[in-house]
Amino acid sequence: MKYLFCIAIALLTTLYRYDFTAQTQSKATCSEGWYITGYYIPREDELPGDTQEISVERVGSLSFSQEFLNETRTEGWGITRFGWALGYYSGAWHRSDAGALDASGNLLSEGVIAIDRTLIPSGAQVQISTLPSPWSSKTFRANDVGNGITGQHIDVFTGMGRVAEEETFRITSNNNRVCFTTNATK
């Protein structure tokens, strides 16, 4: 009898934990026809030339290479000759001592992608098997957004400098297969 009582308590404890503990499971979604581009962080020391004076929020007026400013405006962030990141968003220039940042204010790192959040949720894990190696075997994090990223368009962060810029051209392609995984709570 004591033995049966112990089994009953063990079963009730297990059922109690089961009923009130949230379970998570991954849900994968795949589709075809995605346009993939890349973005990178330009370096001022790699883009010399005629200078232009700009006003940087909370810094004041500074001069930078026009080519560097054009690339930074397009890509979102650049690394200055001073070693800090210069960003262009909300119609103004900004300084970041931490480095280039994503839309949420986190440091950009390889594996981050900019997405349209109406199609892929923020934080999703994404795989793009149709990209050239080594990108085809990577798992990306959907942590960023961009002005021109709408619909079935993903922008892959490729790194910093000229080599990273070359990678943006190498991975730009149409008709890609994209799979993303989100965690759902039961």
Side-chain angles (χ1 to χ4, degrees):
M1 181 71 132
K2 187 175 180 181
Y3 177 74
L4 288 175
F5 179 74
C6 289
I7 291 175
I9 295 296
L11 282 173
L12 284 174
T13 303
T14 302
L15 288 174
Y16 178 80
R17 263 190 258 140
Y18 180 78
D19 287 341
F20 295 99
T21 302
Q23 292 182 339
T24 60
Q25 84 181 51
S26 295
K27 179 183 176 202
T29 304
C30 297
S31 58
E32 310 287 334
W34 288 79
Y35 177 52
I36 307 299
T37 55
Y39 67 113
Y40 77 105
I41 301 169
R43 295 178 51 92
E44 184 182 12
D45 62 352
E46 294 178 341
L47 298 166
D50 295 336
T51 61
Q52 176 182 343
E53 189 172 295
I54 61 167
S55 177
V56 180
E57 298 284 319
R58 296 183 311 225
V59 174
S61 293
L62 292 171
S63 293
F64 297 97
S65 148
Q66 288 176 353
E67 188 176 355
F68 171 69
L69 292 174
N70 290 339
E71 285 296 307
T72 300
R73 190 179 285 113
T74 299
E75 301 301 325
W77 288 94
I79 299 299
T80 68
R81 66 187 178 276
F82 306 114
W84 44 266
L86 178 67
Y88 187 78
Y89 55 90
S90 302
W93 294 99
H94 303 270
R95 174 182 174 161
S96 168
D97 291 324
L101 307 172
D102 68 16
S104 300
N106 301 311
L107 282 176
L108 280 174
S109 60
E110 188 177 302
V112 168
I113 57 174
I115 45 90
D116 180 337
R117 289 185 177 161
T118 64
L119 296 180
I120 298 177
S122 183
Q125 302 296 307
V126 178
Q127 293 182 316
I128 312 168
S129 61
T130 50
L131 289 179
S133 183
W135 303 99
S136 60
S137 61
K138 293 187 180 293
T139 299
F140 301 99
R141 293 178 316 281
N143 289 351
D144 206 1
V145 295
N147 292 335
I149 311 304
T150 58
Q152 285 189 296
H153 179 185
I154 293 176
D155 209 11
V156 176
F157 178 66
T158 60
M160 186 177 1
R162 289 203 189 271
V163 171
E165 178 186 21
E166 290 170 12
E167 282 299 290
T168 67
F169 297 119
R170 194 170 79 88
I171 67 171
T172 296
S173 55
N174 287 306
N175 298 319
N176 287 279
R177 179 175 174 75
V178 170
C179 296
F180 66 92
T181 305
T182 58
N183 288 327
T185 303
K186 272 184 151 180

